[in-house]
C-alpha cells in the first residue's frame, strides 16, 4: 500500500544473539485506553490464535464504564493447555501513552515491547527487545476520522503482531468475520490496516526475539464463548420463560445474551409469538419481586446481578425461602461496590448468599468453574429451584462470565425438565384435602399447586408470615417450630440433589486442596509445578452448597486441607468449618484478593509458605 512510502523506518531494536525459539508458550498483555475499540483488535488476535489450533485464553482487565481510563488485555498462549492468568507477560503491546512507563517497567528481562513510535519519551530498556511502529500514517491512510480513527489505530498492532508471531493474515480475517458477523465492508476496512502494518513490519523490523506461534491441532473440536453467554443458553434449554433484571456489571451480558438467543429459539412455531418475557425493572428489588411472582405462577424464572444487587434482593430472597417459591439468581461476582471495582473479579459473596434471608436461612448455591458448567447449571439451577421450591443462587464471577473460554460444543440436554412436586386437580380429587406445606414424603419438600388449577381446594397463600401446614396464618410456636424443622429437612434433602464435587485423588498426596469456581485453573497448574518439586496433592473442586458426604470424607482423609479462594476472609473455609466441626482444625485457609484472576505462582508460593510454617511449628513442639 502507498502508506509505506510515508512511514519512517523502525527504531533500531536491541541487538542480541540468536535465541532458541519459544513456541506456543508465552503471554501477551495489550495496554490501551478504554473506549478506543481495542476489544475488536484483542479478540481478533485471540480468535486467530485459537483458529491456528493453539490453546489460548483471554482476560480483559478494564475500568468500569469510564471511557479513556487504562485497560489491559491478557492473552495466555499455552501448548500445554494452561489457561490461568500468568503473573507476568513476556510480550507487551504498549498502546496507552498514559501508562507506557509503568507498563514497560513491568516487563520481565528478555521480554518484548511493541510500542507506538509516534510518542516521545518512551522509556527504553537494554534487557528487553523494543519494536517501534508508527501509527499515525496508517490511520491517515485509512481516511477515517474521530472515534473511528481510534478504533482503526488498534489494528496496527494486530498487523505487527501477526508478522512478529507468524500468525497468518487469513486467520485474522476469519476472526474479524466472526466479530463483525460476516459484514465484509467492516472486515475489509480493518484488514486494510492490518495488512499495511504487517507489510511495513516485515520490511522495517528485524525480529530478534524468540516468541512465535505455530499451528497445532488442539482446538479443532472446540468453540470460544463467554460464561454469561453459556449461562443464557443453558437457561433457555432448561426452559426459562421469564427473566427480570436491572443492569449491573458484570452480569448485564448474561441478559444481553438471553435477549439475543431467545427470539431465535423460543417462539411459537404456529403463531410466531414469543413464548418468553424479559423485563428490565426499575431496580434489583423490583426485578427479584417480578421473578418470585413468575415463579409462584409456575414460570421458570431467573434474574442476573452482582453483589450490590444481591443486597437489594435480600428481602425478597428471604420471602422466597420462607414462602417456598422457586427462583434462580445468577450472581456474577465482582470485588465490591462503586465504580472501578465492578470490573475486578472475586469470590466474595459466598457467606452472604449462603445465609441470605431473615432468621434461620440456608440457601442452595451452585459454583460453575467453566463455560460448560455455566451451560449445564443454566438448566440444573432451574430444576433445583422447582424441585426444592426455593431460590437457588449460581455464583459465577467476572472472569468466567465476561471473558472468552475454550470449550467443547454444548450438547442438547437429554434429561427431561424437572418440575418437582406439582399437584393437579386429579391428584387432589384422588387424595382428599390438599395441604400446601405438609411434609407427606418425609423429605421436607411439600407439594404445590399452580394458579389455574380448577379444584376448589387448590388455592393457597404464599405467606411471608407464620403459617401452618395448610398455609393458614398462625402465630402458634408449635406451627413455627414445625415449619422451620421441615425447612431444615428440605435442606438436608438438597445435599443429595445438588451437583457433587469433582475429586482428583492422589494416593501419594501430602495434603488436600479444596476450591471452587475459576481458581481451578491456577490450582491445576500449581499442582503440576508442586509435583515437579516432589510435593503431591489431591484436589477437590466444590460444585455446590450444601456439601454432601463426599466432602466430609475428603476432609477426613487428610491431616490438612488447604482451602483456596479468591476473597479476603476465606469465606468457604469458614462455612466448611461449621459444616464439618469435628475436622475444623484440619482446614487451612489460603485466601487472596487483588481483583485479578488467581495465578499458579501465588498458589505455589502460598502452599509452600504454609508448609514451611507448619514444619517450623512442629520443630518447636
Amino acid at each position: 500500500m502507498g502508506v509505506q512510502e510515508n512511514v519512517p523506518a523502525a527504531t533500531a531494536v536491541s541487538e542480541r544473539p540468536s535465541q532458541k525459539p519459544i513456541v506456543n508458550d508465552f503471554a501477551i498483555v495489550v495496554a490501551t485506553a478504554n473506549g478506543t475499540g481495542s476489544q475488536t483488535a484483542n479478540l481478533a488476535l485471540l480468535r486467530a490464535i485459537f483458529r491456528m489450533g493453539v490453546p489460548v485464553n483471554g482476560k480483559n482487565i478494564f475500568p468500569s464504564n469510564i471511557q479513556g481510563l487504562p485497560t489491559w488485555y491478557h492473552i495466555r498462549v499455552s501448548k500445554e493447555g494452561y489457561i490461568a492468568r500468568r503473573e507476568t507477560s513476556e510480550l507487551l503491546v504498549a498502546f496507552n501513552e498514559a501508562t507506557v512507563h509503568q507498563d514497560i517497567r513491568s516487563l520481565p528481562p528478555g521480554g518484548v515491547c511493541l510500542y507506538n513510535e509516534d510518542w516521545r519519551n518512551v522509556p527504553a530498556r537494554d534487557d528487553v527487545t523494543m519494536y517501534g511502529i508508527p501509527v499515525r500514517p496508517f490511520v491517515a491512510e485509512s481516511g477515517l476520522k474521530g472515534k473511528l480513527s481510534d478504533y482503526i489505530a488498534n489494528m496496527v498492532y494486530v498487523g505487527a503482531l501477526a508478522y512478529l508471531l507468524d500468525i497468518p493474515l487469513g486467520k485474522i480475517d476469519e476472526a474479524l468475520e466472526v466479530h463483525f458477523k460476516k459484514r465484509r465492508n467492516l472486515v475489509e476496512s480493518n484488514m486494510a490496516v492490518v495488512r499495511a502494518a504487517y507489510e511495513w513490519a516485515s520490511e522495517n523490523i528485524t525480529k530478534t526475539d524468540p516468541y512465535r506461534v505455530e499451528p497445532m491441532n488442539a482446538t479443532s473440536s472446540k468453540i470460544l464463548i463467554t460464561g454469561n453467554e453459556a449461562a443464557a443458553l443453558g437457561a433457555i434449554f432448561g426452559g426459562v420463560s421469564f427473566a427480570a433484571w436491572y443492569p449491573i456489571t458484570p452480569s448485564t451480558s448474561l441478559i444481553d445474551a438471553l435477549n439475543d438467543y431467545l427470539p431465535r429459539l423460543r417462539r411459537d412455531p404456529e403463531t410466531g409469538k414469543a413464548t418468553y418475557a424479559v423485563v428490565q425493572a426499575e431496580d434489583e428489588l423490583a426485578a427479584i419481586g417480578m421473578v418470585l411472582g413468575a415463579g409462584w405462577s409456575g414460570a421458570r424464572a431467573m434474574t442476573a446481578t452482582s453483589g450490590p444487587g444481591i443486597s437489594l434482593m435480600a428481602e425478597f430472597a428471604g420471602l422466597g425461602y420462607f414462602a417456598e417459591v422457586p427462583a434462580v439468581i445468577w450472581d456474577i461476582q465482582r470485588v465490591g461496590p462503586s465504580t472501578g471495582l465492578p470490573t475486578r473479579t472475586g469470590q466474595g459473596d459466598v457467606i452472604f448468599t449462603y445465609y441470605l434471608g431473615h432468621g434461620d436461612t440456608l440457601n442452595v448455591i451452585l459454583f460453575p468453574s467453566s463455560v460448560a458448567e455455566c451451560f449445564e447449571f443454566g438448566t440444573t439451577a432451574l430444576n433445583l429451584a422447582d424441585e426444592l421450591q426455593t431460590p437457588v443462587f449460581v455464583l459465577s464471577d467476572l472472569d468466567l462470565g465476561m471473558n472468552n473460554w475454550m470449550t467443547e460444543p454444548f450438547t442438547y440436554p437429554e434429561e427431561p425438565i424437572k418440575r418437582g412436586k406439582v399437584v393437579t386437580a386429579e391428584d387432589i380429587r384422588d387424595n382428599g384435602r390438599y395441604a400446601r406445606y405438609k411434609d407427606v414424603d418425609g423429605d421436607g419438600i411439600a407439594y404445590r399447586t399452580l394458579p389455574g388449577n380448577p379444584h376448589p381446594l387448590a388455592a393457597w397463600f404464599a405467606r411471608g408470615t407464620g403459617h401452618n401446614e395448610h398455609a393458614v396464618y398462625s402465630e402458634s410456636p408449635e406451627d413455627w417450630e414445625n415449619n422451620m424443622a421441615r425447612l431444615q429437612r428440605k435442606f438436608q434433602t438438597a445435599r443429595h440433589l445438588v451437583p457433587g464435587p469433582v475429586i482428583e485423588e492422589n494416593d501419594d498426596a501430602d495434603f488436600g486442596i479444596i476450591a471452587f469456581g475459576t481458581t481451578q485453573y491456577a490450582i491445576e497448574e500449581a499442582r503440576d509445578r508442586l509435583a515437579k518439586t516432589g510435593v503431591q496433592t489431591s484436589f477437590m473442586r466444590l460444585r455446590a452448597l450444601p456439601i454432601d458426604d463426599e466432602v466430609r470424607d475428603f476432609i477426613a482423609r487428610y491431616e490438612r486441607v488447604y482451602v483456596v479462594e479468591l476473597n479476603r476472609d476465606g469465606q468457604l473455609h469458614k462455612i466448611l468449618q461449621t459444616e464439618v466441626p469435628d475436622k475444623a482444625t484440619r482446614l487451612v485457609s489460603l485466601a487472596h484478593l487483588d481483583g485479578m484472576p488467581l495465578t499458579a505462582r501465588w498458589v505455589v508460593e502460598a502452599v509452600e509458605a504454609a508448609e514451611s510454617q507448619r514444619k517450623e511449628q512442629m520443630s518447636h513442639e
Side-chain angles (χ1 to χ4, degrees):
M1 292 183 63
V3 67
Q4 295 173 32
E5 298 175 2
N6 303 315
V7 176
T11 297
V13 299
S14 303
E15 293 295 332
R16 58 182 70 248
S18 177
Q19 302 175 60
K20 182 179 178 180
I22 298 176
V23 179
N24 299 345
D25 188 19
F26 55 85
I28 308 168
V29 60
V30 181
T32 57
N34 194 37
T36 62
S38 56
Q39 184 78 336
T40 302
N42 298 331
L43 289 177
L45 288 169
L46 183 79
R47 290 193 175 109
I49 296 170
F50 173 78
R51 285 172 173 264
M52 292 179 69
V54 181
V56 65
N57 181 261
K59 300 185 185 300
N60 207 359
I61 312 298
F62 57 99
S64 185
N65 56 359
I66 300 177
Q67 186 167 339
L69 289 184
T71 178
W72 295 269
Y73 193 78
H74 295 250
I75 298 176
R76 174 82 185 270
V77 182
S78 171
K79 60 188 175 185
E80 303 296 332
Y82 294 126
I83 53 177
R85 183 178 70 89
R86 284 273 303 279
E87 196 81 22
T88 57
S89 298
E90 292 89 346
L91 278 73
L92 165 68
V93 177
F95 265 51
N96 185 357
E97 193 170 10
T99 63
V100 66
H101 286 263
Q102 70 182 65
D103 291 332
I104 291 177
R105 279 199 305 270
S106 69
L107 261 177
V112 177
C113 175
L114 177 67
Y115 65 94
N116 186 337
E117 200 176 54
D118 297 337
W119 303 332
R120 298 180 179 179
N121 302 319
V122 173
R125 283 180 52 182
D126 294 334
D127 58 346
V128 301
T129 301
M130 304 287 292
Y131 296 129
I133 182 168
V135 175
R136 195 176 298 115
F138 295 102
V139 175
E141 181 72 9
S142 73
L144 297 174
K145 305 294 183 182
K147 285 187 177 181
L148 290 178
S149 64
D150 291 335
Y151 296 162
I152 212 72
N154 292 311
M155 288 298 149
V156 175
Y157 68 73
V158 174
L161 278 181
Y163 163 70
L164 290 170
L165 298 177
D166 287 344
I167 301 173
L169 290 182
K171 297 299 181 184
I172 301 291
D173 189 289
E174 292 174 12
L176 288 172
E177 274 222 335
V178 173
H179 185 80
F180 291 118
K181 299 180 180 179
K182 297 187 177 181
R183 288 175 287 180
R184 286 305 304 178
N185 60 324
L186 294 175
V187 174
E188 283 300 329
S189 62
N190 283 271
M191 279 302 300
V193 178
V194 171
R195 282 190 290 267
Y198 182 98
E199 293 168 8
W200 183 91
S202 67
E203 295 178 6
N204 293 278
I205 291 179
T206 302
K207 180 177 170 65
T208 58
D209 69 88
Y211 303 103
R212 56 195 300 261
V213 180
E214 285 186 359
M216 293 176 61
N217 191 30
T219 67
S220 58
S221 64
K222 292 181 169 60
I223 61 173
L224 282 174
I225 192 171
T226 70
N228 283 351
E229 291 171 321
L233 277 172
I236 292 169
F237 284 105
V240 69
S241 57
F242 181 81
W245 69 298
Y246 184 77
I248 182 172
T249 303
S251 70
T252 298
S253 61
L254 197 160
I255 304 298
D256 288 342
L258 278 180
N259 281 324
D260 184 25
Y261 296 131
L262 278 168
R264 291 183 274 169
L265 299 174
R266 296 290 295 281
R267 289 190 179 277
D268 185 286
E270 295 182 2
T271 66
K273 292 183 178 180
T275 58
Y276 64 89
V278 179
V279 179
Q280 180 174 334
E282 60 267 35
D283 54 32
E284 289 88 350
L285 184 63
I288 187 63
M290 293 178 187
V291 167
L292 285 172
W296 170 82
S297 69
R300 305 269 273 190
M302 64 172 283
T303 187
T305 188
S306 194
I310 296 290
S311 300
L312 289 174
M313 293 180 180
E315 183 175 2
F316 264 127
L319 171 64
Y321 172 84
F322 189 72
E324 298 176 71
V325 178
V328 170
I329 302 101
W330 279 80
D331 176 7
I332 316 302
Q333 297 172 98
R334 66 192 205 189
V335 171
S338 188
T339 298
L341 291 175
T343 49
R344 297 293 183 263
T345 194
Q347 296 178 326
D349 295 342
V350 184
I351 285 179
F352 187 39
T353 51
Y354 192 50
Y355 299 111
L356 187 68
H358 316 98
D360 294 315
T361 308
L362 287 168
N363 293 304
V364 172
I365 299 176
L366 303 182
F367 297 121
S369 73
S370 65
V371 290
E373 281 189 339
C374 284
F375 178 80
E376 175 190 344
F377 290 176
T379 296
T380 301
L382 289 165
N383 283 342
L384 286 171
D386 271 353
E387 289 180 286
L388 294 166
Q389 301 170 26
T390 195
V392 170
F393 294 84
V394 188
L395 267 58
S396 178
D397 62 35
L398 182 146
D399 184 24
L400 178 57
M402 293 191 68
N403 289 319
N404 280 278
W405 300 73
M406 300 180 299
T407 186
E408 295 292 334
F410 307 133
T411 58
Y412 192 91
E414 296 181 358
E415 192 174 38
I417 286 174
K418 299 176 181 179
R419 296 307 308 266
K421 298 180 179 182
V422 177
V423 175
T424 65
E426 290 75 17
D427 294 328
I428 298 176
R429 269 198 305 270
D430 294 342
N431 298 298
R433 188 179 181 188
Y434 167 64
R436 168 64 182 97
Y437 293 115
K438 185 176 182 179
D439 186 2
V440 176
D441 303 319
D443 59 3
I445 305 172
Y447 287 81
R448 65 174 175 142
T449 59
L450 300 179
N453 187 314
H455 197 285
L457 298 179
W460 58 280
F461 281 105
R463 293 187 179 276
T465 55
H467 51 258
N468 63 20
E469 63 184 20
H470 297 287
V472 175
Y473 177 80
S474 173
E475 294 189 20
S476 163
E478 183 180 2
D479 284 339
W480 182 271
E481 190 172 17
N482 287 341
N483 193 53
M484 295 305 289
R486 182 182 58 77
L487 288 171
Q488 178 61 30
R489 286 198 300 277
K490 183 167 75 169
F491 193 73
Q492 297 306 318
T493 299
R495 295 184 188 278
H496 308 290
L497 293 179
V498 300
V502 175
I503 299 174
E504 297 177 26
E505 204 80 56
N506 182 343
D507 293 338
D508 299 320
D510 300 288
F511 50 83
I513 298 175
I514 294 177
F516 67 97
T518 53
T519 55
Q520 168 190 354
Y521 305 106
I523 292 168
E524 288 175 344
E525 188 174 353
R527 291 180 67 215
D528 288 345
R529 294 187 189 182
L530 289 167
K532 291 177 181 178
T533 67
V535 178
Q536 300 297 324
T537 63
S538 288
F539 178 44
M540 183 183 73
R541 179 170 62 83
L542 208 62
R543 297 203 299 161
L545 288 174
I547 65 170
D548 61 9
D549 290 339
E550 282 190 282
V551 180
R552 301 174 190 276
D553 294 343
F554 182 87
I555 296 171
R557 285 195 291 273
Y558 299 96
E559 290 185 7
R560 61 197 180 283
V561 178
Y562 293 110
V563 184
V564 180
E565 47 194 313
L566 201 59
N567 53 58
R568 185 193 66 182
D569 297 329
Q571 296 182 22
L572 178 63
H573 171 257
K574 288 180 169 63
I575 290 173
L576 291 177
Q577 284 187 316
T578 64
E579 294 275 327
V580 193
D582 57 320
K583 302 291 188 296
T585 57
R586 300 187 180 202
L587 296 164
V588 181
S589 177
L590 296 181
H592 177 68
L593 181 65
D594 61 359
M596 303 287 280
L598 203 63
T599 67
R601 178 190 291 185
W602 184 89
V603 176
V604 169
E605 291 177 351
V607 167
E608 289 177 341
E611 287 289 284
S612 176
Q613 183 179 18
R614 171 181 167 274
K615 291 175 182 177
E616 184 177 350
Q617 289 174 343
M618 292 176 63
S619 67
H620 293 308
E621 292 178 356

